[in-house]
Amino acid sequence: MLCSTALTVYFASHSIGTVVVTALTCSLFFQLAYFGSVLVLIWRSSGARETGQRAEHFGSCKDVGSQPPDHDEVTSKSADLLQNQTLAISLLLP
């Protein structure tokens, strides 16, 4: 981009001094735009991190009406899972 601007200015003005000044001005503009875009990305990243922290906090809050699962229910589900795994393994063995 900088080279095409320099060539355009040179063909328009036929002056090396004008090309140098224009190239320096454009390079300064590009540096400012880059710095600004990095600042925007940092700002957006910190906003996303705060949103994620709020979501984690919301997810860790307990509902008033919810009850933990019954111990017998969890135990029976674990036993069923273990029985199914044992059956699958026994089918694989000769």
Side-chain angles (χ1 to χ4, degrees), residues 22-49:
T22 305
L24 289 175
T25 304
C26 286
S27 66
L28 179 65
F29 174 72
F30 290 146
Q31 287 295 319
L32 289 174
Y34 176 75
F35 183 71
S37 65
V38 169
L39 287 179
V40 167
L41 288 173
I42 291 170
W43 174 69
R44 287 180 62 192
S45 172
S46 68
R49 183 174 51 242

Side-chain angles (χ1 to χ4, degrees), residues 2-66:
L2 194 59
C3 291
S4 65
T5 303
L7 287 173
T8 303
V9 169
Y10 179 74
F11 287 126
S13 68
H14 297 293
S15 171
I16 296 295
T18 306
V19 170
V20 170
V21 170
T22 305
L24 289 175
T25 304
C26 286
S27 66
L28 179 65
F29 174 72
F30 290 146
Q31 287 295 319
L32 289 174
Y34 176 75
F35 183 71
S37 65
V38 169
L39 287 179
V40 167
L41 288 173
I42 291 170
W43 174 69
R44 287 180 62 192
S45 172
S46 68
R49 183 174 51 242
E50 290 173 3
T51 303
Q53 288 173 349
R54 278 185 260 154
E56 288 175 8
H57 176 70
F58 180 74
S60 68
C61 294
K62 298 199 184 256
D63 294 334
V64 176
S66 68

